[in-house]
């Protein structure tokens, strides 16, 4: 059995900040990124947890993120706030834009935060959950680099384009979901390759557009959207709303950062906030209670709510801390050490 | 070969208005419903075309729609207009709310139209297309009666909950999609039953929650959501935003109209409008042109745009009129005849 290290949440935060600061991130970015990776680790979303710090450090080295960027808030319209991330992390841009988004949503009923020109690596559930913590419902979406073919097509065009939603529940963790619009995350293909395993049918096509179960052929080809032409359609909506609508790029116009500094990973993100208060006024509590009938209807037939496992992990981590592989811990310690 | 009747669009409109007026619909409702069913027939969406007039007449007879309802417009918040359909058709409510929705979206960047307490039978693409005709992008969603089980569940809870999106293209028909969040429409199950055909795997479960390929067992059981837990999650969002957020019902709280007048089909619909002008200002044209790269990327690899067939049918129908089965024509003529 592989060796593991358990850290308190406070120790995980300290380690994360040290890694980021030692790799050129200013205190504001280090704090925002730390909040995100520690929250993901806490919820046992390992792929968005402390492991991501390695990618952050490397991306900074490849000039795929500016670790000292100062985001600029633009009050675009009564219902729209834009934040120009200036090639920095989307996370600080989100945190800086959030108060104005909430204010606009509470005033108008609905409002949008558009983040431009950002490096994005985090899970969207965090951002929609942040809205629900303030009593709002939220939707978030972002395009990424071209890994996914459109339904009926044969070459990569869309990102894995995640879509997230959250709804505030009185006295409870919110109802939250967050999914990629590809059948699986690209990381799943890489895991199958490393394990020497074939892919299930329906995940990917090869470079010629033919179905493949070979992980390398899939990496050279394209992932497929979830749910056929319907998932493919949803993915185009994400490209358009979190791209041209906010004056930003389509997924296929961006690339992962590369050692030569030529990769330009920067793109947009769109977050929509709905104020239950503004929609419902004095009926808010009654209809929020009424919404619980949906969750009761799901749970009473033995199905799960989307984030149930994550919220259970959150409770465990608050008591017991987070556990990561010794090898990851050693790598992070090395990244945190000057010299 | 079955006999067919070809009607000009003007004759189809006259027939539709006669059916509706003869079945108690006031001129405003008759005009709004006629615009919808003739547009669907024109686009060769037969299931939402003239055929639906039979259901409208029957639903009025079953008191599942008030054919004389006067919708009330409520200016709920700077970004929210609500229309109480008062148990009338959602179509007149939409048409009456549209101008204020567009005005709010153009002022704020984003705005919502919530339709309450309506009978809904139409295709959502018509409403999002109406937004794109005015240069806006749009999203529409509505819950319906409980026909679909949540992923991992075993009994009906969600409606087939359609979701539609439209994006305005300069000088072209808009980019529009509209899909049910169930694997297939309930009508498909009925068609298989009538044809004595088995269902494909993965469409439905029986009353005990076990997979079934028997159409009757599926009708007694539940449809499945498209795309597994992801489509199921999307369906919950539609329930919440077009339900409790606008003070309206969840899908499972509504029922199709019944001869005894006990079925209560009334529910909500949510439409979100995005103003490209307010988001982009003087950059609007450039980014609208930029969005075309996405459609080019789809078409250039041999895939189709979601509404391509429909727009082709539209062109044909404008020249040649619409063709319906003789039996349907006879039935509509009978419904249009007083006495």
């Amino acid at each position: 059995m592989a060796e593991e290290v358990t850290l308190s949440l406070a120790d995980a935060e300290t380690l994360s900040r040290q890694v980021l600061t030692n790799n050129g991130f200013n205190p504001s970015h280090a704090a925002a990124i730390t909040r995100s990776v520690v929250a993901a680790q806490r919820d046992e979303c390992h792929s968005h947890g402390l492991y991501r710090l390695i990618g952050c450090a490397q991306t900074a080295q490849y000039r795929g993120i500016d670790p000292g960027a100062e985001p600029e808030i633009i009050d675009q319209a009564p219902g729209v706030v834009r934040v120009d991330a200036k090639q920095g992390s989307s996370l600080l841009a989100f945190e800086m834009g959030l108060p104005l988004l909430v204010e606009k949503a509470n005033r108008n009923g609905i409002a949008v935060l558009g983040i431009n020109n950002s490096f994005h690596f985090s899970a969207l559930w965090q951002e929609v959950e942040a809205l629900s913590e303030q009593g709002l419902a939220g939707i978030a979406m972002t395009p990424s680099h071209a890994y996914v073919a459109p339904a009926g097509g044969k070459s990569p065009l869309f990102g894995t384009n995640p879509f997230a939603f959250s709804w505030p529940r009185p006295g409870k963790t919110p109802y939250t979901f967050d999914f990629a619009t590809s059948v699986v995350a690209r990381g799943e293909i890489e895991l199958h390759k490393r394990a020497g395993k074939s892919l299930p049918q329906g995940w990917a096509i090869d470079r010629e557009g033919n179905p493949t179960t070979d992980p390398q052929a899939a990496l050279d080809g394209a992932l497929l959207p979830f749910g056929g032409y319907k998932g493919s359609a949803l993915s185009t909506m994400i490209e358009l709303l979190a791209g041209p609508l906010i004056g930003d790029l389509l997924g296929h116009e961006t690339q992962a950062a590369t050692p030569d500094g030529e990769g330009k990973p920067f793109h947009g993100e769109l977050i929509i906030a709905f104020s239950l208060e503004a929609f419902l006024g004095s009926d808010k509590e009654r209809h929020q209670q009424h919404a619980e009938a949906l969750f009761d209807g799901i749970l009473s037939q033995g199905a799960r709510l989307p984030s149930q496992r994550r919220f259970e992990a959150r409770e465990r981590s608050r008591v017991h801390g987070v556990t990561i592989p010794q090898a990851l811990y050693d790598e992070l310690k090395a990244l945190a050490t000057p010299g």
Side-chain angles (χ1 to χ4, degrees), chain A:
Chain A
M1 188 163 160
E3 281 183 75
E4 292 180 329
V5 177
T6 297
L7 302 170
S8 69
L9 292 177
D11 287 347
E13 281 168 15
T14 303
L15 176 60
S16 170
R17 274 200 306 275
Q18 285 170 343
V19 167
L20 291 162
T21 308
N22 193 44
N23 284 273
F25 287 82
N26 72 20
S28 306
H29 279 295
I33 295 172
T34 291
R35 277 188 281 274
S36 173
V37 297
V38 173
Q41 193 67 54
R42 175 201 69 195
D43 285 12
E44 294 178 9
C45 296
H46 298 283
S47 63
H48 289 99
L50 293 168
Y51 162 80
R52 285 284 165 141
L53 293 170
I54 300 168
C56 279
Q58 191 180 62
T59 304
Q61 192 190 323
Y62 292 175
R63 287 172 284 148
I65 184 171
D66 177 351
E70 303 276 358
E72 182 190 351
I73 300 177
I74 301 146
D75 191 342
Q76 177 75 26
V80 183
V81 51
R82 282 169 68 174
V83 181
D84 183 347
K86 301 200 172 169
Q87 305 198 340
S89 159
S90 63
L91 292 162
L92 181 59
F94 174 77
E95 291 188 2
M96 288 175 64
L98 182 61
L100 189 53
L101 172 66
V102 171
E103 186 189 314
K104 283 174 183 289
N106 282 331
R107 191 186 315 125
N108 293 335
I110 186 167
V112 165
L113 168 59
I115 297 173
N116 288 118
N117 203 13
S118 72
F119 176 76
H120 197 288
F121 71 87
S122 52
L124 296 181
W125 55 257
Q126 300 180 345
E127 294 170 349
V128 289
E129 267 194 40
L131 287 169
S132 290
E133 274 165 25
Q134 303 203 38
L136 303 164
I139 290 174
M141 60 188 87
T142 185
S144 58
H145 324 316
Y147 294 136
V148 180
K154 51 190 180 186
S155 52
L157 179 66
F158 309 146
T160 53
N161 296 3
F163 183 90
F165 171 76
S166 189
W167 174 268
R169 300 180 69 189
K172 290 187 177 156
T173 48
Y175 174 80
T176 307
F177 66 76
D178 178 358
F179 59 74
T181 51
S182 49
V183 176
V184 288
R186 196 172 149 88
E188 278 293 320
I189 310 287
E190 277 154 5
L191 286 176
H192 276 73
K193 184 185 163 193
R194 270 201 275 175
K197 281 168 39 181
S198 292
L199 306 176
Q201 292 281 356
W203 281 20
I205 52 178
D206 67 16
R207 204 190 295 239
E208 280 73 46
N210 301 312
T212 184
T213 59
D214 175 56
Q216 187 58 51
L219 291 170
D220 295 340
L223 293 176
L224 289 172
F226 92 96
Y229 76 90
K230 296 182 182 183
S232 187
L234 195 64
S235 191
T236 62
M237 180 188 83
I238 295 166
E239 295 271 340
L240 293 165
L241 295 185
L245 178 68
I246 57 169
D248 218 311
L249 299 178
L250 297 162
H252 74 273
E253 296 163 336
T254 69
Q255 316 85 33
T258 46
D260 61 8
E262 294 298 310
K264 295 279 174 274
F266 316 109
H267 59 80
E269 178 181 359
L270 188 91
I271 297 126
I272 307 176
F274 301 82
S275 165
L276 277 66
E277 186 83 37
F279 271 83
L280 292 163
S282 60
D283 285 339
K284 177 184 168 226
E285 282 184 32
R286 185 163 65 87
H287 285 292
Q288 215 171 349
Q289 202 51 53
H290 167 214
E292 293 294 306
L294 184 69
F295 312 128
D296 293 344
I298 293 170
L299 292 169
S300 68
Q301 57 180 282
R304 296 177 72 97
L305 301 184
S307 293
Q308 216 166 315
R309 284 192 187 83
R310 204 159 51 68
F311 293 133
E312 288 161 9
R314 185 176 299 184
E315 288 311 305
R316 279 196 301 278
S317 299
R318 280 185 175 140
V319 178
H320 302 294
V322 297
T323 299
I324 59 172
Q326 178 77 45
L328 173 58
Y329 179 75
D330 293 344
E331 193 168 356
L332 293 172
K333 280 304 257 188
L335 279 171
T337 308

